[in-house]
Amino acid sequence: MEILNLSLSATNRFASNYLEQSPDILPFFHYRFNDVTEDQRRLDELSNRYFPREKVADYIEKFMERFPSSQAVTNSLAKLNQKNSVVVIGGQQAGILTGPLYSIHKVISIIKLAAEKERQLGVPVIPVFWIAGEDHDFHEVNHVFMPVEHRVGKWSYPEKIKQKKMVSDITLNKEVCSEWVKNLIEDFGETHHTKELLSFAEEALVKSTTFVDFFANIVMELFKDYGLLIVDSGDRHFRLLQKENFSGQIEHHREITSYLLEQQSVISKNGFPITIDSNENAANLFYYHPRLNERILLEFDSESNCFVGKSGVVSFTKEELSQIALQNPALLSNNVVTRPLMQEWLFPTLAFIAGPGEISYWAELKLVFEHFKIKMPPIVPRLNISLLERAVESDINELKLDLSTVLSRGSAQEREQFLESIKDREVSELFSSLKSQILKQYELIETKTNQHDPSLLPLLKKNESFLLKQIGFMETKLEASVQSKFDVVLNKFNRIDLSLRPDGFPQERVWNIFYYLNQYGTNFIKELMELEFEFDGRHKVIKL
C-alpha cells in the first residue's frame, strides 16, 4: 500500500473554505485546526475546566466489557483517569456492518490523530468513538450498498421497524441477520478470504443483541489493538452521567435557540447555506415516550409555557422536564445542537474529528458554546480516503484519465467524448436526413388532411410518432452494434466509476468495508493503520 495526496474540493463549499482556512471562515470557530500552537492554547483552556473523568472512565469500562478488548484498551481507560489526559473524539451512526466507508475513515482519523498529538504534546491523548445510538432514523443504518453487474445495488436488512425507536433499542433477529449477512458476503464473490470473513461476521453477530452491539463488536474487533474507546449515546447508563447537563440545557433552552439562530444569521449573511434546521420554538431535546416506544422532538410553546411534542402527545412544564432530567435522564436525548455541548461537558476534547457536513453545523454553534463560557474544540477534518484497486488504476492509466478529475466528478464526460469519437458519421447523417425528410413529408400530408378530414389529424400524428420511434429504435440498435465492438474500453469506464464514483457519489459514501475485507482479508485494517497519514486537508488515495 502507498498513499497519494491530492488537493480536491470538499463536498460542500463551506467545508472547502474551512480546509483552506480562508479568512471568511475563521470567525466562526475558536481554533485553527492546522496550527500546532493552538493545541497548547486548548490544553490550557481544558486545564481550567472540570470533567467527570472517573465517572466517564468507569462507565466506559463497564460498557466495553462485552466487546473485544486488548491491553491497549486497558491502557486508554487508565489514561482517561489521569488529570492531564485529553481525548480526540468523533462519532457516527451504527450502520449495519459499519455502514459506509466514511465510518471506518472516521475511526482511523480519531486513532491516528490521537497518537500524533500524544507524541507532539507529551500528554495522554485517548481516541474515543461516540456511537450515535440515540438516533432513531432506522432507514439510514439498515442497508449496505454493493456492486451488482456494473451498478450500485442496495441490500436492506429485511426486518421492518415502524416506531421511531432509538437504534440502541432495536434488537436483532440473529437468525434473519445471519442469513442476510451470509448472502451479502457471498454475493461479493468467493475469494481466499470469504470463509474467514463469514466467521468474523458470525462471531460478532453471536455476541450482539442490538444494532449498536453488532456495530461495536465489529469496530472493536478491527481496532481493539489501537486503544480505541467507545460510548453509546443511546445507552441509559451513559445518560445517567448527563442529568445535571440535561437540567442546564432545559434551564437555558431559550438562550441555546436564540444564540443558534443569531449565529446562523451571521453565517447566512456571509453567503453560506444553513445546515441545522431550527426555529425560535426549538427546545433541542427529544423525549422518549415509554408507551409509544418512540423518540419525540420537543418544542417550547410560549402560550402554555410548556415543552410539547408533536400534536400535543406530551406536554411538560419546565419544572416537570427538569425533574425528568434529574430522576430519569434515560427518557431524554440530545439533538444536533445539544449533542456537541454534552460531549464537551463530559470529555476533555483536544480535537473533534468532523466530516464535511459536521464542519458546517459546528460553525453554527459558536455563540451557544460562548453562552456557557466554554469554547468549541479544534474541528479537525476527518481523513478523506479513496481506495484505489490495482485493476482500476490500470484502467485509468490506459484511458489516460486524470485521477483527480475522476475522484471529483467521475469519467462520464470522457466516456461521452469516446462514444462520440467512435460514431459512424455516415450512419448518423443518414438517419438524421431520413427523419428530416419524414417530418417535411408529414407536414405536407397534415395540410391535405386538414383540408379533407381534420378528424384524422390525431391519427396522423400518432402514425408520425410511431414511425419516428421505429426509426429511432433502429438507429439506437445500430449505434449499440458499433459500441459493442468497443465493449472492452467502455467496461473500463464503467469499472472506474463504479469503484471511485458509484452513482456519482464519493466512494466513501457508498461502499462498505466488508467488500474490501472480502478481497484483501481482515488483515486489511492492520495494513491501513500502518500507513502514515497527514492531517493536511488533502485527499488520501491509497493504492492497493
Side-chain angles (χ1 to χ4, degrees):
M1 288 185 182
E2 64 172 299
I3 297 180
L4 178 64
N5 292 295
L6 298 176
S7 295
L8 300 181
S9 296
T11 53
N12 69 63
R13 184 167 60 91
F14 190 94
S16 291
N17 285 14
Y18 184 76
L19 288 173
E20 297 165 6
Q21 292 287 273
S22 47
D24 55 345
I25 290 291
L26 294 179
F28 306 138
F29 298 89
H30 288 117
Y31 297 96
R32 298 173 66 111
F33 80 88
N34 59 352
D35 185 345
V36 292
T37 62
E38 299 282 69
D39 291 334
Q40 190 57 52
R41 279 211 308 127
R42 180 63 175 173
L43 286 177
D44 292 341
E45 185 208 346
L46 295 175
S47 68
N48 293 316
R49 289 172 52 194
Y50 165 77
F51 297 96
R53 296 172 185 275
E54 292 182 5
K55 290 181 180 178
V56 171
D58 185 55
Y59 159 74
I60 294 176
E61 183 175 12
K62 288 183 172 64
F63 172 70
M64 292 186 66
E65 282 177 352
R66 63 184 186 271
F67 302 119
S69 191
S70 68
Q71 186 58 48
V73 170
T74 303
N75 293 344
S76 287
L77 287 166
K79 286 180 184 178
L80 193 56
N81 276 300
Q82 297 179 34
K83 290 184 179 180
N84 66 333
S85 69
V86 290
V87 307
V88 171
I89 195 167
Q92 201 64 49
Q93 294 161 296
I96 194 164
L97 295 180
T98 71
L101 281 169
Y102 58 67
S103 294
I104 297 298
H105 298 170
K106 190 168 281 187
V107 176
I108 293 172
S109 301
I110 292 166
I111 293 170
K112 284 292 188 179
L113 187 65
E116 178 184 306
K117 294 302 179 184
E118 185 166 284
R119 288 193 301 269
Q120 290 175 349
L121 301 171
V123 298
V125 185
I126 304 109
V128 179
F129 189 85
W130 179 298
I131 304 170
E134 65 192 3
D135 195 274
H136 61 256
D137 197 340
F138 178 64
H139 295 291
E140 286 192 12
V141 300
N142 74 336
H143 60 272
V144 168
F145 292 108
M146 59 183 297
V148 180
E149 296 178 357
H150 301 300
R151 62 178 178 82
V152 176
K154 183 177 181 180
W155 280 58
S156 295
Y157 178 70
E159 284 193 278
K160 304 297 181 187
I161 306 295
K162 293 181 180 178
Q163 301 115 318
K164 289 185 177 179
K165 285 185 176 183
M166 293 190 294
V167 175
S168 288
D169 291 339
I170 298 176
T171 57
L172 286 166
N173 182 318
K174 294 188 182 183
E175 186 176 339
V176 170
C177 190
S178 177
E179 186 66 20
W180 182 82
V181 170
K182 179 175 178 289
N183 290 338
L184 184 140
I185 292 175
E186 289 177 348
D187 230 64
F188 283 138
E190 188 168 356
T191 69
H192 295 302
H193 308 290
T194 303
K195 188 175 180 181
E196 178 192 10
L197 186 60
L198 285 167
S199 297
F200 171 84
E202 186 64 30
E203 186 176 338
L205 180 58
V206 166
K207 294 186 289 185
S208 302
T209 303
T210 68
F211 264 76
V212 168
D213 289 345
F214 195 28
F215 177 91
N217 270 306
I218 293 172
V219 166
M220 287 311 302
E221 187 59 46
L222 292 175
F223 293 101
K224 64 184 178 185
D225 294 330
Y226 307 100
L228 181 69
L229 301 184
I230 56 174
V231 296
D232 172 18
S233 62
D235 184 84
R236 61 183 61 251
H237 299 292
F238 188 44
R239 292 208 292 288
L240 286 172
L241 302 178
Q242 304 172 26
K243 54 187 179 181
E244 286 85 5
N245 296 325
F246 276 134
S247 182
Q249 288 172 205
I250 294 163
E251 183 65 31
H252 293 263
H253 73 94
R254 288 183 185 273
E255 291 86 349
I256 291 173
T257 300
S258 176
Y259 283 121
L260 169 69
L261 295 175
E262 183 180 338
Q263 182 74 354
Q264 286 182 329
S265 176
V266 174
I267 291 172
S268 183
K269 286 175 182 175
N270 278 266
F272 295 105
I274 297 306
T275 304
I276 300 174
D277 183 20
S278 189
N279 61 70
E280 61 184 11
N281 298 320
N284 302 301
L285 278 176
F286 285 92
Y287 173 75
Y288 201 74
H289 199 298
R291 182 171 54 80
L292 297 178
N293 209 11
E294 284 193 5
R295 189 171 176 242
I296 298 167
L297 182 63
L298 298 177
E299 289 195 337
F300 186 75
D301 179 25
S302 54
E303 289 187 9
S304 64
N305 210 30
C306 288
F307 294 83
V308 298
K310 61 179 182 179
S311 305
V313 68
V314 292
S315 178
F316 305 103
T317 64
K318 182 189 285 188
E319 292 71 25
E320 288 171 337
L321 198 60
S322 294
Q323 280 296 102
I324 291 172
L326 294 173
Q327 295 177 5
N328 196 359
L331 295 179
L332 300 179
S333 58
N334 294 291
N335 78 339
V336 67
V337 176
T338 51
R339 192 207 64 78
L341 276 172
M342 189 66 74
Q343 171 191 292
E344 293 307 303
W345 283 325
L346 294 175
F347 291 95
T349 306
L350 178 68
F352 177 79
I353 295 291
E358 290 171 308
I359 292 171
S360 297
Y361 80 65
W362 272 82
E364 298 172 22
L365 302 177
K366 186 182 181 186
L367 293 178
V368 177
F369 273 76
E370 290 178 357
H371 170 70
F372 289 100
K373 305 294 189 294
I374 59 176
K375 292 181 178 179
M376 295 189 300
I379 309 300
V380 180
R382 68 165 166 78
L383 296 168
N384 283 297
I385 298 171
S386 290
L387 303 173
L388 181 59
E389 296 182 273
R390 189 172 300 173
V392 175
E393 183 181 12
S394 296
D395 289 340
I396 290 171
N397 293 335
E398 287 177 27
L399 295 177
K400 295 182 171 55
L401 300 177
D402 177 66
L403 179 58
S404 294
T405 301
V406 170
L407 291 170
S408 297
R409 60 164 174 78
S411 66
Q413 289 183 23
E414 289 75 12
R415 187 178 189 276
E416 286 305 309
Q417 289 169 6
F418 175 74
L419 288 173
E420 193 65 28
S421 73
I422 63 174
K423 271 187 177 181
D424 187 317
R425 300 295 172 191
E426 186 179 355
V427 168
S428 293
E429 288 170 7
L430 282 170
F431 275 105
S432 180
S433 175
L434 176 59
K435 284 185 279 189
S436 178
Q437 289 175 37
I438 287 173
L439 286 170
K440 286 178 182 177
Q441 292 301 314
Y442 265 90
E443 282 180 13
L444 295 173
I445 296 170
E446 184 177 347
T447 301
K448 290 295 183 183
T449 303
N450 196 36
Q451 291 172 0
H452 295 295
D453 189 353
S455 67
L456 292 175
L457 286 174
L459 182 61
L460 179 68
K461 282 294 181 185
K462 187 175 181 181
N463 181 258
E464 177 188 11
S465 175
F466 177 77
L467 187 55
L468 289 171
K469 187 177 179 181
Q470 289 299 306
I471 291 169
F473 173 77
M474 194 61 227
E475 184 180 13
T476 301
K477 282 293 184 183
L478 203 53
E479 284 179 356
S481 178
V482 173
Q483 289 180 18
S484 68
K485 298 175 183 178
F486 297 92
D487 274 351
V488 172
V489 176
L490 293 172
N491 283 337
K492 291 181 190 296
F493 281 108
N494 291 337
R495 276 198 301 270
I496 291 167
D497 282 350
L498 191 66
S499 176
L500 299 177
R501 291 289 299 189
D503 273 4
F505 295 100
Q507 178 194 80
E508 65 178 13
R509 301 194 68 81
V510 178
W511 299 139
N512 174 272
I513 191 62
F514 271 69
Y515 166 81
Y516 297 92
L517 297 178
N518 187 56
Q519 291 293 319
Y520 304 101
T522 51
N523 213 37
F524 179 68
I525 293 295
K526 183 180 179 182
E527 293 175 32
L528 284 179
M529 293 299 293
E530 288 172 353
L531 297 171
E532 294 292 328
F533 293 95
E534 293 181 73
F535 288 84
D536 54 8
R538 290 185 293 173
H539 194 93
K540 315 299 176 187
V541 178
I542 300 179
K543 297 184 177 184
L544 306 181

